[in-house]
Amino acid sequence: PSPSSSTPGAERREKQYRAHRGFGDRRGGVISARTYFYADEAKCDQHMETFLRCIDASSGSSVDGFSAIKLTALGRPQFLLQFSEVLVKWRRFFNQMAAEQGQAGRAALEMKLEAEKLQEALANLGIATKAESQHWFTGENLGVSGTVDLLDWNSLIDSRTKLSKLLLVPNMQTGQLEPLLSRFTEEEDLQMKRMLQRMDTLAKRATEKGVRLMVDAEQSYFQPAISRLTLEMQRRFNRDQAIIFNTYQCYLKEAYDNVTVDVELSRREGWHFGAKLVRGAYMEQERERAAQIGYEDPINPTYEKTNEMYHRCLDYILEEIKHSRKANVMVASHNEDTVKFTLRRMMELGIHPSEKKVCFGQLLGMCDQITFPLGQAGFPVYKYVPYGPVNEVLPYLSRRAQENRGFMQRANRERDLLWREFKRRLLAGSFFSPNH
């Protein structure tokens, strides 16, 4: 996409959410993720057809299967950038109001704005008169308690409305009121609608075929929009069971906030929460982009911090499963400590493998020493299979091999385990049967 600096008012756009020519090729510094480029709408339709075939293949080869999709394959990434900026500005505005009401530093869900004070603040800022803002907070659940929290606040933006009609927010630097977004052109509006239609088509096919649809996470500057659109799908398709799974990258500093806010939304609205937890695939690229363009690095400073975040997010979802049995999680990890942590917590919380609320995922051809024992012990465990034309899938696979430079050590470990088992069976005289 062309840099937005060519559009009027672009200088007011946030650095993180502008298109930058130097990062137009999103493969640089990415070692473990498939990247799609926007050519035109016809190409997006082709990608959708590929995803539909994946769903059919998954349905035909596995009971309770999964299929993973990427939203940058289904529409113009520029739209995701713009929508992400809107969502981030909107949330930041909420945090700023909370700080003014003395609530800075609280956890995302514990910030509650007093509706009266909020209406006064909006009136003082010249955003809306009291009469105008009053009807925003008189919905079925809004403001009944006299307070407005982040979920109430977020509900004021509906991704299906025309984004050009969104409210004004103050720019902290200039003190001026600005529209959250310069007007969408008709073409951009159509691009958004087409993206939503493609998501809809995929979700309907997945529901028909009994396949769960995992929406993969992508770069942090697209992610707020991707998560928001995925939530819209969960609201519609996860009423009776978790069909749509959102992906949470635990290397992000805000991962825990994202998980807790979305779980709370599922509680309030009564749908089934589905999450895939990953560590994250874009670290080098994210850091380089943040440093070059000049915004805060969104990634946790150390691997240990990311580990902590992973276990914290996972623990929160496991507690929710114990509490309501409406949450579901895929632990997508090649880390033995994380797998052991999950098994221990499941035992402590009384979550039985047969409930299939917790499943595990590893890449095909990797970490079989984790995958197979899990499967034999009765845990739902899945192998992630890259799918597509050879010339497009091979670069992805070579990056995965590069990412797993420690792979040979693991292969040695696997060889040692196999050798030990071989000797054990030989001495026990039960070479062909693992059970005796």
Side-chain angles (χ1 to χ4, degrees):
S2 63
S4 59
S5 52
S6 58
T7 58
E11 283 318 302
R12 294 202 300 263
R13 303 243 0 235
E14 308 235 340
K15 289 177 181 175
Q16 189 172 355
Y17 301 101
R18 284 188 226 159
H20 288 269
R21 218 180 282 281
F23 292 89
D25 183 341
R26 299 193 304 279
R27 287 168 300 195
V30 177
I31 47 179
S32 56
R34 176 79 173 79
T35 306
Y36 290 89
F37 295 94
Y38 180 78
D40 51 35
E41 293 295 309
K43 190 72 177 162
C44 293
D45 284 332
Q46 273 177 25
H47 289 148
M48 183 185 77
E49 290 301 327
T50 302
F51 289 154
L52 286 169
R53 288 202 299 278
C54 286
I55 291 167
D56 293 345
S58 186
S59 166
S61 62
S62 160
V63 180
D64 295 328
F66 279 97
S67 201
I69 64 168
K70 274 198 160 67
L71 289 203
T72 49
L74 296 176
R76 194 164 177 236
Q78 178 82 352
F79 157 67
L80 292 171
L81 270 180
Q82 287 175 289
F83 190 24
S84 289
E85 183 183 31
V86 167
L87 295 168
V88 166
K89 275 186 176 175
W90 190 239
R91 184 165 179 166
R92 197 172 293 155
F93 184 25
F94 175 85
N95 289 339
Q96 174 208 334
M97 306 282 249
E100 282 173 16
Q101 290 193 17
Q103 299 189 33
R106 287 195 186 178
L109 284 172
E110 283 166 24
M111 291 185 186
K112 295 187 195 308
L113 307 182
E114 288 180 38
E116 281 284 313
K117 280 188 189 170
L118 177 58
Q119 286 171 348
E120 275 167 33
L122 292 171
N124 292 341
L125 287 163
I127 289 169
T129 65
K130 263 198 148 181
E132 284 170 331
S133 65
Q134 214 142 13
H135 76 269
W136 298 348
F137 304 110
T138 51
E140 201 176 311
N141 306 313
L142 275 183
V144 173
S145 57
T147 61
V148 174
D149 68 8
L150 184 60
L151 296 185
D152 299 329
W153 184 249
N154 283 345
S155 69
L156 295 175
I157 291 187
D158 175 1
S159 69
R160 285 170 188 268
T161 60
K162 273 204 167 193
L163 293 184
S164 52
K165 288 179 185 163
L166 290 175
L167 303 170
L168 298 166
V169 292
N171 177 324
M172 302 306 26
Q173 275 76 43
T174 64
Q176 299 295 306
L177 286 182
E178 294 172 359
L180 272 180
L181 189 66
S182 324
R183 288 186 78 79
F184 258 30
T185 62
E186 281 303 305
E187 180 54 28
E188 284 169 334
D189 228 49
L190 275 171
Q191 284 170 350
M192 179 181 86
K193 286 199 175 78
R194 289 192 199 114
M195 184 183 257
L196 289 166
Q197 282 163 355
R198 290 182 190 109
M199 290 170 75
D200 211 55
T201 301
L202 293 172
K204 281 179 177 152
R205 176 75 67 93
T207 306
E208 281 164 26
K209 297 279 184 176
V211 170
R212 272 89 52 90
L213 204 58
M214 294 189 300
V215 181
D216 273 351
E218 304 195 46
Q219 285 91 342
S220 63
Y221 37 99
F222 297 130
Q223 196 51 43
I226 290 170
S227 283
R228 181 63 190 253
L229 294 170
T230 307
L231 275 177
E232 293 294 326
M233 290 187 6
Q234 288 182 312
R235 286 173 142 151
R236 292 175 54 223
F237 292 95
N238 286 11
R239 289 193 191 121
D240 302 319
Q241 55 178 311
I243 295 282
I244 309 295
F245 276 59
N246 207 348
T247 303
Y248 296 89
Q249 297 155 303
C250 296
Y251 69 2
L252 292 179
K253 293 170 184 170
E254 59 176 35
Y256 184 75
D257 274 356
N258 294 341
V259 168
T260 54
V261 166
D262 291 353
V263 166
E264 175 60 23
L265 185 66
S266 72
R267 278 185 204 137
R268 285 188 198 178
E269 296 183 343
W271 42 268
H272 290 248
F273 177 80
K276 170 181 157 189
L277 287 187
V278 299
R279 276 175 171 75
Y282 305 97
M283 186 171 77
E284 281 177 49
Q285 190 189 74
E286 289 277 9
R287 291 210 160 130
E288 188 189 343
R289 191 177 188 271
Q292 274 197 30
I293 295 166
Y295 57 88
E296 190 197 340
D297 180 359
I299 307 287
N300 282 321
T302 62
Y303 185 74
E304 288 67 40
K305 284 273 178 233
T306 292
N307 265 351
E308 261 173 53
M309 181 66 89
Y310 195 108
H311 291 178
R312 196 174 165 215
C313 292
L314 178 54
D315 212 39
Y316 189 86
I317 299 169
L318 293 174
E319 290 275 1
E320 180 63 15
I321 292 171
K322 181 195 175 187
H323 168 69
S324 78
R325 291 307 199 259
K326 269 191 164 183
N328 305 258
V329 64
M330 172 179 269
V331 180
S333 175
H334 296 137
N335 186 302
E336 287 186 36
D337 292 336
T338 293
V339 171
K340 284 174 184 163
F341 172 85
T342 312
L343 301 181
R344 193 184 77 242
R345 290 299 288 139
M346 284 176 74
M347 273 177 60
E348 290 166 3
L349 295 167
I351 302 166
H352 197 270
S354 64
E355 293 179 67
K356 296 187 175 175
K357 293 288 175 192
V358 181
C359 57
F360 297 85
Q362 281 100 37
L363 275 161
L364 183 68
M366 278 176 56
C367 270
D368 289 351
Q369 80 277 10
I370 293 178
T371 310
F372 290 116
L374 280 173
Q376 283 165 343
F379 290 89
V381 59
Y382 295 83
K383 282 304 209 187
Y384 190 101
V385 186
Y387 171 100
V390 171
N391 62 329
E392 287 186 28
V393 174
L394 272 177
Y396 164 84
L397 290 173
S398 68
R399 290 197 303 272
R400 296 307 317 225
Q402 184 190 345
E403 172 201 18
N404 286 279
R405 279 179 291 236
F407 183 61
M408 288 318 292
Q409 293 157 326
R410 265 194 288 220
N412 290 340
R413 175 169 156 66
E414 204 163 335
R415 189 196 58 204
D416 293 344
L417 290 169
L418 285 167
W419 180 240
R420 218 183 318 161
E421 177 65 4
F422 176 79
K423 286 196 292 193
R424 187 191 68 76
R425 290 192 193 181
L426 209 57
L427 292 170
S430 58
F431 189 68
F432 291 107
S433 169
N435 300 322
H436 304 294

